[in-house]
Amino acid sequence: MRRIPIIAGNWKMHTTVESAEELCRGVQERVEDVEGVEKVVCPPFPFLTLAAELLKGSSLKVGAQNAHWAEKGAYTGEVSMPMLQGLVEFVIIGHSERRAYFCETDETANKKLKAVLAAGLRPIFCVGETEAEREGGQTEAVLIRQVREGLRDVELPLGFAIAYEPVWAIGTGKAASGPMANEAVGLIRSQVAALFGEERGQSLRVLYGGSVTPENIAEFIAEPEIDGALVGGACLKADSFASIIEQSARISAGK
């Protein structure tokens, strides 16, 4: 089954109004005509309207980095899915930084995931083990738990996206090797197939995230199970993010 890769840039808590506009324009200028890959930028909440306006009608899509599961309510500082409708197409759910710093759990990630789908938006659902879990031989158990609990009672659409982000590789400069990431992604795919059927498993797009750069992206995209990347620091410069997109499109076309 041909899976269209996704390259998503997670800006995290970076950029200002000026640099956000410059980054949107710079990326669009470089990759507007690149085909065969979905291209997504995920700015901080204050700049989503700006990004949506700048990229309207372009081949780049906009995503949010997080959202709350409730449609509305007394949740000071939170953003609901209805607030994002019309601004974004994608929403990142369950990122390891949300789990580590903001007490997010498999249960809350599951609630957010259901809310994303109910709102007609497209989730990028994140899973991944910590360094201690990998060194303790728990990678498989952790990934199975996160997939099964995160996707519990979810009506999974074809082409659903999961990002495999080993926590020890995020922002550390220590990327996993291509074969190591491919093995973990294969496990994730097999779990989805077991839960939702072979068609869903084969259509599932699993991205790799964790210290992705223009220098190592080819190693990951060339692996048969990996369908793109969730990029952190390297997406904050238009040239480096564009290079990742261009390489991914070229390599994926030859798979």
Coordinates of all heavy atoms in Angstrom, one line a residue, residues 165-201:
E165 N 8.6 8.8 18.8 CA 9.6 9.7 19.3 C 10.3 9.2 20.5 O 9.8 9.3 21.7 CB 9.0 11.1 19.6 CG 8.4 11.8 18.4 CD 8.3 13.3 18.8 OE1 7.7 13.6 19.8 OE2 8.8 14.1 18.0
P166 N 11.4 8.5 20.4 CA 12.1 8.0 21.6 C 12.5 9.2 22.4 O 13.2 10.1 21.9 CB 13.3 7.3 21.0 CG 13.5 7.8 19.6 CD 12.1 8.1 19.1
V167 N 12.1 9.3 23.6 CA 12.3 10.5 24.5 C 13.7 10.9 24.6 O 14.1 12.0 24.6 CB 11.6 10.3 25.8 CG1 11.8 11.5 26.7 CG2 10.1 10.0 25.7
W168 N 14.6 9.9 24.7 CA 16.0 10.1 24.8 C 16.7 10.8 23.6 O 17.8 11.3 23.7 CB 16.7 8.8 25.1 CG 16.4 7.7 24.2 CD1 15.4 6.8 24.4 CD2 17.0 7.4 23.0 NE1 15.3 5.9 23.3 CE2 16.3 6.2 22.4 CE3 18.1 7.9 22.3 CZ2 16.7 5.7 21.2 CZ3 18.4 7.3 21.0 CH2 17.7 6.2 20.5
A169 N 15.9 10.8 22.5 CA 16.5 11.4 21.3 C 16.0 12.8 21.0 O 16.5 13.5 20.1 CB 16.2 10.5 20.1
I170 N 15.0 13.3 21.8 CA 14.3 14.5 21.5 C 15.2 15.7 22.0 O 15.4 15.8 23.3 CB 12.9 14.6 22.1 CG1 12.0 13.5 21.5 CG2 12.3 15.9 21.9 CD1 10.7 13.3 22.1
G171 N 15.7 16.5 21.1 CA 16.4 17.7 21.5 C 17.8 17.4 22.1 O 18.4 18.3 22.6
T172 N 18.3 16.2 22.0 CA 19.5 15.8 22.6 C 20.7 15.7 21.6 O 21.8 15.6 22.0 CB 19.4 14.4 23.3 OG1 19.1 13.4 22.3 CG2 18.3 14.4 24.4
G173 N 20.3 15.6 20.3 CA 21.3 15.4 19.3 C 21.6 13.9 19.1 O 22.4 13.5 18.2
K174 N 21.0 13.0 20.0 CA 21.2 11.6 19.9 C 20.1 10.9 19.1 O 19.1 10.4 19.8 CB 21.4 11.0 21.3 CG 22.5 11.5 22.1 CD 22.7 10.7 23.3 CE 21.6 10.7 24.3 NZ 21.8 9.9 25.5
A175 N 20.1 10.9 17.8 CA 19.0 10.3 17.1 C 19.2 8.8 17.1 O 20.3 8.3 17.2 CB 19.1 10.8 15.6
A176 N 18.1 8.1 17.0 CA 18.1 6.7 16.9 C 18.7 6.3 15.5 O 18.7 7.2 14.6 CB 16.7 6.1 17.0
S177 N 19.2 5.1 15.3 CA 19.6 4.7 14.0 C 18.4 4.4 13.2 O 17.3 4.1 13.7 CB 20.5 3.5 14.1 OG 19.8 2.3 14.5
G178 N 18.6 4.3 11.8 CA 17.5 4.0 11.0 C 16.9 2.6 11.3 O 15.7 2.5 11.5
P179 N 17.7 1.6 11.4 CA 17.2 0.2 11.7 C 16.5 0.2 13.1 O 15.5 -0.5 13.3 CB 18.5 -0.6 11.7 CG 19.4 0.1 10.7 CD 19.2 1.5 11.0
M180 N 17.1 0.9 14.1 CA 16.5 0.9 15.4 C 15.1 1.5 15.3 O 14.1 1.0 15.9 CB 17.4 1.7 16.4 CG 16.8 1.7 17.8 SD 17.8 2.9 18.8 CE 19.4 2.2 18.8
A181 N 15.0 2.7 14.7 CA 13.7 3.3 14.5 C 12.7 2.5 13.7 O 11.5 2.4 14.1 CB 13.8 4.7 13.9
N182 N 13.2 1.8 12.7 CA 12.4 1.0 11.8 C 11.8 -0.2 12.6 O 10.6 -0.5 12.4 CB 13.2 0.5 10.6 CG 12.3 -0.1 9.6 OD1 11.5 0.6 8.9 ND2 12.4 -1.4 9.4
E183 N 12.6 -0.8 13.5 CA 12.1 -1.9 14.3 C 10.9 -1.4 15.2 O 9.9 -2.1 15.3 CB 13.2 -2.4 15.1 CG 12.8 -3.6 16.0 CD 14.0 -4.2 16.8 OE1 15.1 -3.6 16.8 OE2 13.8 -5.2 17.5
A184 N 11.1 -0.3 15.9 CA 10.1 0.2 16.7 C 8.8 0.6 16.0 O 7.7 0.3 16.4 CB 10.6 1.5 17.5
V185 N 9.0 1.2 14.8 CA 7.8 1.6 14.0 C 7.1 0.3 13.5 O 5.8 0.3 13.5 CB 8.3 2.4 12.8 CG1 7.2 2.6 11.8 CG2 8.8 3.8 13.2
G186 N 7.8 -0.7 13.2 CA 7.2 -2.0 12.8 C 6.4 -2.6 13.9 O 5.3 -3.1 13.6
L187 N 6.8 -2.4 15.1 CA 6.1 -2.9 16.3 C 4.8 -2.1 16.4 O 3.7 -2.7 16.6 CB 6.9 -2.8 17.5 CG 6.2 -3.0 18.9 CD1 5.7 -4.5 18.9 CD2 7.1 -2.7 20.0
I188 N 4.9 -0.8 16.3 CA 3.7 0.1 16.4 C 2.7 -0.3 15.3 O 1.5 -0.5 15.6 CB 4.1 1.5 16.2 CG1 4.9 2.0 17.4 CG2 2.9 2.4 16.0 CD1 5.6 3.3 17.3
R189 N 3.2 -0.5 14.1 CA 2.3 -0.9 13.0 C 1.6 -2.2 13.3 O 0.4 -2.4 13.0 CB 3.0 -1.0 11.7 CG 2.1 -1.1 10.4 CD 2.9 -1.1 9.1 NE 3.8 0.0 9.0 CZ 3.4 1.2 8.7 NH1 2.1 1.5 8.5 NH2 4.3 2.2 8.5
S190 N 2.3 -3.2 13.8 CA 1.8 -4.5 14.1 C 0.7 -4.4 15.2 O -0.3 -5.1 15.1 CB 2.9 -5.5 14.5 OG 3.4 -5.2 15.8
Q191 N 0.9 -3.5 16.1 CA -0.1 -3.4 17.2 C -1.4 -2.7 16.6 O -2.5 -3.2 17.0 CB 0.4 -2.5 18.3 CG 1.5 -3.1 19.2 CD 0.9 -4.4 19.8 OE1 -0.1 -4.3 20.6 NE2 1.6 -5.5 19.6
V192 N -1.3 -1.8 15.8 CA -2.4 -1.2 15.1 C -3.2 -2.2 14.3 O -4.4 -2.2 14.3 CB -2.0 0.1 14.3 CG1 -3.2 0.6 13.5 CG2 -1.5 1.2 15.3
A193 N -2.4 -3.0 13.6 CA -3.1 -4.0 12.7 C -3.8 -5.0 13.6 O -4.9 -5.5 13.2 CB -2.0 -4.7 11.9
A194 N -3.2 -5.4 14.7 CA -3.9 -6.3 15.6 C -5.2 -5.8 16.2 O -6.1 -6.5 16.4 CB -2.9 -6.7 16.8
L195 N -5.2 -4.5 16.5 CA -6.3 -3.8 17.1 C -7.4 -3.5 16.1 O -8.6 -3.6 16.4 CB -5.9 -2.5 17.8 CG -5.0 -2.7 19.1 CD1 -4.4 -1.3 19.5 CD2 -5.8 -3.3 20.2
F196 N -7.0 -3.0 14.9 CA -7.9 -2.5 14.0 C -8.0 -3.1 12.6 O -8.8 -2.7 11.7 CB -7.6 -1.0 13.7 CG -7.7 -0.1 15.0 CD1 -6.5 0.1 15.7 CD2 -8.9 0.4 15.4 CE1 -6.6 0.9 16.9 CE2 -9.0 1.1 16.6 CZ -7.8 1.4 17.3
G197 N -7.2 -4.2 12.4 CA -7.2 -4.9 11.2 C -6.1 -4.5 10.3 O -5.4 -3.5 10.4
E198 N -5.8 -5.4 9.4 CA -4.6 -5.3 8.5 C -4.6 -4.0 7.6 O -3.6 -3.4 7.4 CB -4.4 -6.5 7.6 CG -3.1 -6.6 6.9 CD -1.9 -6.7 7.9 OE1 -2.1 -7.2 9.0 OE2 -0.8 -6.3 7.5
E199 N -5.8 -3.7 7.1 CA -5.9 -2.5 6.2 C -5.5 -1.3 7.0 O -4.8 -0.4 6.5 CB -7.4 -2.4 5.7 CG -7.5 -1.3 4.7 CD -8.9 -1.1 4.2 OE1 -9.9 -1.6 4.8 OE2 -9.1 -0.5 3.1
R200 N -6.0 -1.1 8.2 CA -5.7 0.0 9.0 C -4.2 0.0 9.3 O -3.5 1.1 9.3 CB -6.5 0.1 10.3 CG -8.0 0.4 10.2 CD -8.2 1.8 9.7 NE -9.6 2.2 9.6 CZ -10.5 1.8 8.7 NH1 -10.1 1.0 7.7 NH2 -11.8 2.2 8.8
G201 N -3.7 -1.1 9.6 CA -2.2 -1.2 9.9 C -1.4 -0.8 8.8 O -0.4 -0.1 8.9

